[in-house]
């Protein structure tokens, strides 16, 4: 739990580092901060602790989720390249500080023992995200996205808070173990309607954060408008934290009234899968496609998050890790290619066709992109395949047939739009000049790609830990 | 890190260095790295062998896949069988690596060659080290891949490429059998670990003739047929001679092709409980032995003769397996590795000297120009023909004795094969090394003995071919049958019905087969030394000879029976089914999804008010549904 305290202090330290006239120090400093936080986090391994007057709980589950979040953060920071040299319009110290603060929120969402903490963590994370979305101040899309995200996010927060209040009204407790016990007794038949309303509303509030349909509307617009680096951050860290919270509630506090929400979730899972995958097919913008892809991956994760049993946690963790790593590589490739095109004064967009002919001069980038697309599509020998495999086989064992069939069909649809990027990189005519990559960038790309392949060959290396 | 892990690791490192650094690693270093990797593995294998306690040891590296109750781990097993295979593979492998340094020196793909050779060693070692069927299968597939790469090594010649493809496809047919066998094992035993599967059988719950075991053993044997070139999947091996000669020696004679025999010995407990399968194994082996030997009688390509001879000798090994003489078969695997590698390397030396000429009709009299090659080749020829006291005699006669006890007819077939073996081998020897030189002047001018890197392996292998038989000297010669003794724990749970022939029968059988071999050799001497006849030019053979020369037209037959109908069917599918059915369905679905996508996209119209409206409606519906019990 010291990781939360440390990250908060590091965030403040980052702000002070911003006063130095040396932007170069920020990137290594932040990387070091994240590593220290990861170390502190791992120090909690194999210990069950309650912190801050029963507000937060750390155990192996929370350490695992927090580790995935911190690894994703580390990778995102590593490909941020210090946010360029534009002194006037970028403020890296603040960006890094906000990222660290938002991770504090994310870890609170993983470790909460009290619904208030869930709310506080979610807000820390969300408010940080609203700011980061709008950091490209001169870009109208970025401003619009930030405002939209804020408006809808505020709405969802309202629903969540309302739900928490109703649950409190029905049970008289904020503590999730207290609620779990009360829900179990209430499930006998005497439960007041407001308990059900409260539970459904809390679930909806979280579904909004993980962009499940029909609460996904913000996702494509925000993902497209936000600077790519923060989109990568958003689609990995926020999603993992959101699912951790969802899993802890569904698998713990709310199990007593399983029958109330399970069919809603099955239905929304299918809806999410269909909307995410089908809509992605039409997209011309690679970034927007990744937004829909993020919606569809939420659908796959929901398939296991609905489980009552604890052993599915390793499937969720493995999937989150595989998805995060692949997504970060995809965004990283997109960022360098878009930036190179921009500096060559070409008209820039973030469509698939900016990858045209990528393989000719940049074989490494094309390969990284290919592996990440294959992993997202779930092709064997990549981590993504095993992620899907574990989720599907869990679902099969629990007999969730209809949503499973939809999921399998939709993952076939997914291949179409993921492969469009590979086709552009290898088969389309085009000209991308050879891009000189900074060492840290190159290393990060190689690491994410190797990780995807290694986990694709030997998934048990990590899965056995989870 | 334990020694076991190091054994496959060395060749893998060698492969990575030479493979990734291809064209960058200096040529002088490439051969040293490649050979050193093989030698280092050999050293590890040797020290494991010396320190072996007699108990199987399993080294668990990591859990590879865990699905449900099935756990497939990456783990290695050291026992009598894998140790012996390790020694053969790394020992003969090292010699062939050293030989290749000289043989391939002028080739521009020198680095690539050594990378592939190391990769092959890696997979072959994985195959014999694996402690479960899946690791074995990884190695099995890997060696198939390397075999493909090395047969087609000179890929500018499209015939060689076709030979490589043929080998790959035929092996795939076998692999399918193997794979299905593994599936059946998983389904029935719930594990792929040798210890679990064989342990369950050893508990004694299985009757002889158990149906499941029958299917498993048959399917595994299909895999063995492909890899070890048995009827009907043998035609790829002669064509595989397109690869460089060291490859033929290592992969297509000494190691990879014996993988099928290794597998059956490994699973001997299953086979011993399936007498029907054993009968099939024995007869397939016998048929292959005699058929391949008869084709070998009239081939004129020095490597083709040796290739058919390999197929035929593999047939003997399967015959031995079929009569449950497992250790005898393995003994033959070992001696065969020595003398067949030697024969191929000797042939390579000849080809090297003859400026890539492979047709024995244009050779002759080479014994004076290539003395070392000649003497070593002579030793190998005597060994393979089964003339005492060289290695082949002991191993082949052991198999023959067991076959005689089991089935007299099979023994007659085997004897016929061994007569032919002796004839074609001496024919090859006489035509190549005796008589007058029949090549061009230019070739005669270039004739030279090979460099030391090539002759040294020849000499070492010649020693092994000469004395290899004494590793398992039978009791009637006051030997201890040490190899059989050493391997006996492998067959502890096998209820063998094979019993030793009594001494007088054994001696009678030996005398008969040695006499037969000597008569065949004498006949070859008469034909090719005294009468100085030279095989006719292509297209001038007649009658039976023509049929045999053309390998019984088996390739043509396969072409008519399998390839042509498949091509016709494939054309039909391509032009009709694909076009009218598949395309319509696939493109229809694709178009449907795209249209749907175009519609779904419109939901996302960019207006926040609309988004929130949609969300509110959804929330209302969800709440109404979840409160239906209260509302209605």
């Amino acid at each position: 739990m010291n990781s939360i305290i440390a990250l908060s202090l590091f965030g403040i330290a980052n702000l002070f580092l911003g006063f130095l006239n040396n932007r170069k120090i920020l990137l290594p400093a932040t990387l070091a901060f994240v590593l220290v936080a990861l170390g502190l986090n791992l120090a909690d391994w194999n210990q069950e602790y309650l912190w801050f007057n029963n507000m937060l709980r750390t155990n192996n589950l929370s350490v695992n989720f927090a580790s995935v979040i911190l690894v994703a953060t580390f990778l995102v920071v590593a490909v941020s390249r210090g946010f360029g040299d534009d002194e006037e319009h970028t403020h890296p110290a603040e960006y890094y500080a906000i990222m660290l603060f938002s991770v504090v929120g994310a870890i609170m969402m993983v470790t909460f023992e009290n619904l208030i903490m869930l709310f506080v963590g979610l807000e820390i994370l969300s408010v940080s995200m609203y700011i980061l979305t709008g950091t490209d101040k001169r870009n109208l899309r970025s401003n619009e996205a930030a405002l939209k995200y804020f408006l809808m996010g505020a709405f969802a927060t309202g629903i969540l808070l309302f739900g928490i209040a109703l649950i409190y009204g029905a049970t008289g407790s904020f503590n999730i173990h207290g609620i779990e016990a009360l829900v179990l007794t209430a499930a006998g038949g005497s439960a007041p309607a407001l308990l059900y309303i409260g539970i459904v509303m809390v679930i909806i509030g979280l579904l909004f954060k993980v962009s499940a349909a029909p609460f996904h509307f913000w996702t494509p617009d925000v993902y497209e408008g936000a600077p790519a680096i923060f989109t990568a951050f958003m689609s990995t860290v926020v999603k993992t934290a959101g699912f951790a919270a969802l899993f802890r509630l569904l698998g713990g506090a709310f199990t007593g009234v399983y029958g109330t929400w399970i069919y809603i979730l099955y239905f929304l899972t299918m809806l999410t899968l269909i909307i995410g995958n089908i809509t992605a097919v039409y997209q011309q913008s690679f970034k927007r496609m990744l937004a829909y892809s993020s919606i569809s991956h939420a659908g796959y994760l929901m398939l296991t998050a609905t489980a009552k049993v604890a052993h599915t946690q390793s499937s969720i963790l493995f999937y989150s890790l595989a998805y995060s790593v692949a997504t970060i590589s995809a965004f990283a490739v997109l960022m360098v290619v878009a930036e190179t095109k921009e500096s060559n004064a070409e008209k820039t967009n973030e469509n698939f066709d900016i990858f045209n002919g990528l393989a000719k001069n940049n074989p490494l980038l094309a390969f990284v992109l290919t592996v990440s697309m294959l992993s997202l599509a779930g092709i064997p020998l990549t981590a993504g395949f095993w992620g899907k495999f574990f989720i599907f086989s869990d679902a099969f064992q629990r007999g969730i047939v209809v949503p499973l069939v939809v999921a399998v069909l939709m993952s076939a649809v997914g291949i179409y739009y993921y492969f469009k990027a590979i086709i552009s990189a290898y088969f389309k005519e085009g000209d991308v000049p050879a891009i000189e990559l900074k060492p840290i960038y190159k290393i990060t790309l190689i690491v994410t790609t190797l990780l995807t392949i290694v986990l694709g060959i030997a998934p048990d290396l990590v899965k056995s830990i989870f | 890190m334990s020694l076991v892990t190091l054994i496959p690791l060395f060749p893998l490192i060698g492969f990575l260095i030479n493979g990734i650094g291809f064209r960058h690693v200096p040529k002088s270093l490439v051969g040293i790295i490649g050979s050193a990797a093989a030698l280092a593995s050999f050293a590890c294998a040797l020290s494991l062998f010396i320190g072996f306690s007699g108990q199987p040891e399993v080294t668990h590296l990591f859990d590879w896949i865990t699905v449900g109750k099935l756990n497939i781990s990456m783990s290695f097993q050291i026992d009598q069988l894998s140790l012996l295979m390790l020694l053969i593979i790394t020992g003969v492998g090292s010699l062939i690596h050293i030989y290749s340094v000289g043989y391939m020196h002028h080739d521009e793909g020198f680095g690539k060659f050594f990378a592939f050779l190391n990769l092959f060693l890696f997979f072959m070692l994985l195959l014999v080290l694996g402690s479960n069927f899946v690791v074995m299968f990884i190695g099995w597939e890997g060696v198939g891949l390397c075999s493909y790469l090395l047969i087609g090594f000179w890929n500018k010649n499209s015939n060689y490429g076709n030979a490589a493809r043929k080998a790959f496809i035929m092996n795939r047919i076998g692999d399918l059998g193997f794979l299905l066998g593994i599936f059946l094992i998983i389904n029935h035993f719930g594990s792929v670990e040798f210890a679990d599967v064989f342990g369950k059988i050893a508990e004694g719950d299985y009757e002889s003739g158990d149906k499941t075991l029958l299917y498993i053993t048959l399917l595994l044997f299909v895999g063995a047929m492909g890899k070890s070139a048995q009827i009907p999947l043998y035609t790829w091996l002669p064509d595989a001679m397109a690869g460089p000669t060291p490859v033929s020696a290592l992969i297509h004679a000494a190691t990879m092709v014996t993988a099928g025999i290794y597998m059956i010995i490994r699973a001997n407990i299953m086979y011993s409980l399936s007498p029907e399968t054993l009968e099939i194994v024995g007869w397939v082996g016998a048929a292959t032995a005699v058929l391949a030997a008869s084709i070998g009688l009239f081939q004129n390509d020095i490597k083709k003769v040796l290739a058919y001879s390999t197929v035929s000798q593999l047939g003997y090994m399967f015959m031995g397996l079929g009569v449950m003489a497992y250790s005898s078969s393995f003994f033959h695997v070992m001696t065969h590795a020595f003398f067949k590698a030697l024969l191929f390397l000797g042939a390579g030396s000849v080809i090297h000297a003859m400026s890539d000429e492979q047709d024995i009709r244009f050779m002759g009299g080479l014994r004076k120009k290539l003395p070392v090659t000649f003497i070593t080749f002579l030793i190998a020829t005597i060994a393979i023909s089964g003339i005492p006291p060289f290695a082949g005699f002991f191993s082949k006669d052991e198999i023959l004795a067991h076959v005689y006890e089991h089935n007299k007819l099979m023994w007659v077939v085997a004897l016929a094969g061994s007569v032919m073996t002796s004839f074609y081998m001496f024919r090859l020897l006489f035509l190549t090394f005796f008589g007058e030189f029949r090549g061009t002047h230019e070739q005669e001018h270039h004739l030279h003995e090979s460099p030391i890197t090539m002759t040294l392996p020849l000499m070492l292998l010649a020693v092994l071919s000469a004395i290899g038989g004494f590793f398992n000297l039978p009791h009637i010669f006051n030997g201890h049958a040490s190899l059989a003794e050493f391997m006996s724990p492998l067959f502890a749970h096998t209820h063998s019905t094979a019993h030793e022939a009594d001494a007088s029968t054994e001696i009678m059988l030996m005398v008969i087969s040695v006499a037969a071999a000597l008569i065949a050799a004498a006949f070859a001497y008469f034909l090719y030394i005294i009468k100085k006849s030279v095989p006719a030019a292509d297209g001038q053979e007649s009658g039976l000879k023509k049929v045999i020369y053309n390998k019984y037209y088996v390739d043509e037959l396969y072409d008519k029976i399998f390839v042509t109908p498949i091509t016709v069917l494939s054309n039909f599918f391509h032009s009709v089914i694909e076009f009218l059915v598949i395309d319509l369905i696939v493109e229809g679905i694709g178009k449907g999804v795209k249209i749907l996508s175009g519609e779904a996209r419109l939901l996302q119209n960019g207006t926040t008010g609309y988004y929130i409206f949609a969300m509110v409606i959804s929330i209302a519906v969800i709440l109404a549904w979840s409160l239906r019990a209260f509302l209605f």
Side-chain angles (χ1 to χ4, degrees), chain A residues 34-46:
Chain A
V34 177
L35 275 186
V36 171
L38 185 61
L40 289 172
N41 175 51
L42 291 176
D44 286 335
W45 182 252
N46 267 344

Short mmCIF file of all heavy atoms in Angstrom, two decimals, chain A residues 34-46:
data_model
loop_
_atom_site.label_atom_id
_atom_site.label_comp_id
_atom_site.label_asym_id
_atom_site.label_seq_id
_atom_site.Cartn_x
_atom_site.Cartn_y
_atom_site.Cartn_z
N VAL A 34 7.94 5.03 -11.23
CA VAL A 34 6.99 3.93 -11.45
C VAL A 34 7.61 2.61 -11.01
O VAL A 34 6.94 1.77 -10.40
CB VAL A 34 6.56 3.87 -12.93
CG1 VAL A 34 5.65 2.69 -13.17
CG2 VAL A 34 5.86 5.16 -13.32
N LEU A 35 8.91 2.45 -11.28
CA LEU A 35 9.58 1.21 -10.88
C LEU A 35 9.58 1.05 -9.37
O LEU A 35 9.32 -0.03 -8.84
CB LEU A 35 11.01 1.19 -11.40
CG LEU A 35 11.20 0.69 -12.83
CD1 LEU A 35 12.67 0.59 -13.15
CD2 LEU A 35 10.53 -0.67 -13.00
N VAL A 36 9.87 2.16 -8.68
CA VAL A 36 9.87 2.10 -7.21
C VAL A 36 8.48 1.71 -6.72
O VAL A 36 8.33 0.83 -5.85
CB VAL A 36 10.29 3.45 -6.61
CG1 VAL A 36 10.07 3.45 -5.10
CG2 VAL A 36 11.74 3.73 -6.94
N ALA A 37 7.47 2.33 -7.33
CA ALA A 37 6.09 2.01 -6.91
C ALA A 37 5.80 0.54 -7.16
O ALA A 37 5.18 -0.14 -6.33
CB ALA A 37 5.10 2.88 -7.68
N LEU A 38 6.29 0.02 -8.29
CA LEU A 38 6.07 -1.39 -8.60
C LEU A 38 6.73 -2.26 -7.55
O LEU A 38 6.15 -3.25 -7.07
CB LEU A 38 6.63 -1.70 -10.00
CG LEU A 38 6.38 -3.10 -10.56
CD1 LEU A 38 4.90 -3.37 -10.67
CD2 LEU A 38 7.04 -3.26 -11.91
N GLY A 39 7.95 -1.87 -7.15
CA GLY A 39 8.65 -2.64 -6.13
C GLY A 39 7.90 -2.62 -4.81
O GLY A 39 7.70 -3.66 -4.18
N LEU A 40 7.43 -1.44 -4.42
CA LEU A 40 6.67 -1.33 -3.16
C LEU A 40 5.40 -2.17 -3.23
O LEU A 40 4.99 -2.80 -2.25
CB LEU A 40 6.31 0.13 -2.90
CG LEU A 40 7.48 1.03 -2.52
CD1 LEU A 40 7.04 2.48 -2.49
CD2 LEU A 40 8.01 0.61 -1.16
N ASN A 41 4.82 -2.15 -4.41
CA ASN A 41 3.59 -2.91 -4.59
C ASN A 41 3.85 -4.39 -4.41
O ASN A 41 3.12 -5.09 -3.72
CB ASN A 41 3.05 -2.61 -5.99
CG ASN A 41 1.85 -3.44 -6.32
OD1 ASN A 41 0.91 -3.49 -5.54
ND2 ASN A 41 1.90 -4.12 -7.44
N LEU A 42 4.95 -4.87 -5.03
CA LEU A 42 5.25 -6.29 -4.95
C LEU A 42 5.63 -6.71 -3.53
O LEU A 42 5.49 -7.88 -3.16
CB LEU A 42 6.39 -6.64 -5.91
CG LEU A 42 6.01 -6.55 -7.39
CD1 LEU A 42 7.22 -6.81 -8.27
CD2 LEU A 42 4.90 -7.54 -7.72
N ALA A 43 6.06 -5.73 -2.72
CA ALA A 43 6.43 -6.06 -1.34
C ALA A 43 5.23 -6.55 -0.55
O ALA A 43 5.38 -7.21 0.47
CB ALA A 43 7.05 -4.85 -0.66
N ASP A 44 4.03 -6.24 -1.03
CA ASP A 44 2.82 -6.69 -0.33
C ASP A 44 2.41 -8.11 -0.67
O ASP A 44 1.38 -8.59 -0.23
CB ASP A 44 1.64 -5.75 -0.64
CG ASP A 44 1.79 -4.42 0.06
OD1 ASP A 44 2.48 -4.40 1.09
OD2 ASP A 44 1.23 -3.43 -0.42
N TRP A 45 3.21 -8.75 -1.52
CA TRP A 45 2.86 -10.10 -2.00
C TRP A 45 2.72 -11.07 -0.84
O TRP A 45 3.52 -11.06 0.10
CB TRP A 45 3.95 -10.56 -2.98
CG TRP A 45 3.68 -11.91 -3.57
CD1 TRP A 45 4.34 -13.06 -3.29
CD2 TRP A 45 2.70 -12.24 -4.55
NE1 TRP A 45 3.83 -14.08 -4.02
CE2 TRP A 45 2.83 -13.62 -4.81
CE3 TRP A 45 1.73 -11.50 -5.24
CZ2 TRP A 45 2.01 -14.28 -5.73
CZ3 TRP A 45 0.92 -12.16 -6.15
CH2 TRP A 45 1.07 -13.53 -6.40
N ASN A 46 1.68 -11.91 -0.93
CA ASN A 46 1.43 -12.94 0.07
C ASN A 46 1.12 -12.42 1.46
O ASN A 46 1.37 -13.08 2.46
CB ASN A 46 2.62 -13.91 0.17
CG ASN A 46 2.41 -15.09 -0.75
OD1 ASN A 46 1.28 -15.31 -1.20
ND2 ASN A 46 3.45 -15.83 -1.03
#
